Amino acid sequence: MLQDFRRFVLNKDSLSVATASKIGVAPQRFCDWRWQMKNQITTSTAAARFVTLDDDERTAFADKTLARLFNVAITPYAMGLMRTTHDKPCPVRLQLLPRQQELHDRTGQADPLHEKPHSPVPEVVHVYPDRVAFCVAQLCPIYCRFCFRKRRDAEQGLHFNRTIIKRGLAYIRANSRIKDVLLTGGDPLIASDHALDNLLQQVRAIPHVEIIRIGTRTPVTLPYRLTTALAQILAKYHPLWINTHFNCVQELTPEACQAVSILLQHGIPIGNQTVLLKGVNDSVSKMEQLLRALVRARIRPYYLFHPHLVSGTQHLRLPLSVGLHIMRALQGRVSGLALPRYMLDTAAGKIPLQHQYLLQHDSHSAVVENMHGELWREQLA
Ligand SMILES: *Cc1c(COP(=O)(O)O)cnc(C)c1O
Ligand code: SF4
């Protein structure tokens, strides 16, 4: 534990030390993930210790209707990622601070992916024959305003619920076509080491499960959760993959990179799923900075999701043309390793989207468009 603490504060650019001293908390405490969870920011008064709020943000914090639509809670660490003044837009604020616009969404839906009807037993979403998303968690270090599972927030007791886990495991055990179990939520790493060890052991004991995946935003929201002790537990259940969720370059702090590096040292490959969001990562240059920073941190960009049609997010959604344009501009301009696939996530499954590069083809030749937008005829036979 002490070793983990040092890892987070020794870096000269440590955000932990700066944020901890700002609010008068000892860095060692600040780097304790349980302290972070106990001290989540839920009011404008608490938030004002970190940043200056604008009127809209202040009012939204106190709005009861908005609070019913979706939880508000933010770790002190994540508060430290925000611009402290509100003179310029901040991509982290847009993701985490509530805004009154959330109440003015005319078209958003509670469950845009129809996950409920796709769940044969509670919290096991079975859309693809060979894999399931198993929503074992309900709590998160922060509540991203665009979360497509915000509907689950209204229910109680979904977090590491024994009955849900027991029935979910029984379903997976009984379906030998399931080769890939994606543990998600909520954030599944918000549980004790013991609870995670126990759950992973049971999943790994199912003979037909080949890979285990965990979807977690902790590298972004609570990097202190990724201790050496946890990485050692996860590594007992290989092949285990983690997908995380960075949305802007500001989130790739030394702490986040350290946390990711511990997982990599334990043989856990890290992928990244980004959600395309207005004001956060909606330009070629913002996306390029994010993708380059990800590969420098040895995180492989996996998917770029078009924003879901989820309630309270109209102010963050944008047209498909924006995503297609960004992906087209980056093709050939950044390493192939840095390019995610742009996905439209639908109730009928995920659909990859891209600009049409192949214009014409027969068995002898193909007419294609290159990275400069020029036509090229390639002889094939
Ligand atoms: C996204 C998703 C998965 C995982 O899909 P991959 O494309 O393999 O990453 C599995 N099940 C459900 C229901 C999903 O929505
Ligand atoms: S961390 Fe993930 S599950 Fe939690 S609120 Fe954010 S997007 Fe939703």
Side-chain angles (χ1 to χ4, degrees), residues 17 79 93 102 118 139 141 149 164 193 201 225 234 252 278-279 283 291 326-327 350 361 364 381:
V17 174
M79 289 300 303
R93 283 180 177 236
E102 291 179 31
H118 279 123
L139 304 178
R149 291 217 178 96
I164 290 176
D193 286 2
Q201 196 178 356
R225 175 65 191 101
L234 301 178
L252 280 141
K278 195 190 271 179
S283 73
L291 298 175
I326 292 174
M327 292 306 298
K350 295 181 178 69
H361 67 103
H364 303 288

Side-chain angles (χ1 to χ4, degrees), residues 18 31 89 93 165 214 256 301 361:
C31 296
R93 283 180 177 236
I165 289 181
I214 298 177
H361 67 103

Side-chain angles (χ1 to χ4, degrees), residues 70 140 142-144 146-147 185-187 217 245:
F70 192 40
C140 294
I142 46 121
Y143 293 89
C144 312
F146 50 86
C147 180
D187 199 314
R217 220 185 165 194
H245 177 173

Side-chain angles (χ1 to χ4, degrees), residues 337-356:
L337 265 183
L339 285 179
R341 285 208 289 161
Y342 181 37
M343 306 300 273
L344 184 65
D345 202 3
T346 78
K350 295 181 178 69
I351 319 292
L353 304 175
Q354 70 166 8
H355 172 73
Q356 185 55 264

Side-chain angles (χ1 to χ4, degrees), residues 125 127-128 131-133 180 182 213 273 302-303 345 350:
V125 192
V127 173
Y128 306 94
R131 67 213 111 125
V132 290
D180 174 352
L182 165 59
R213 285 198 275 178
Q273 305 189 162
Y302 178 59
Y303 287 157
D345 202 3
K350 295 181 178 69

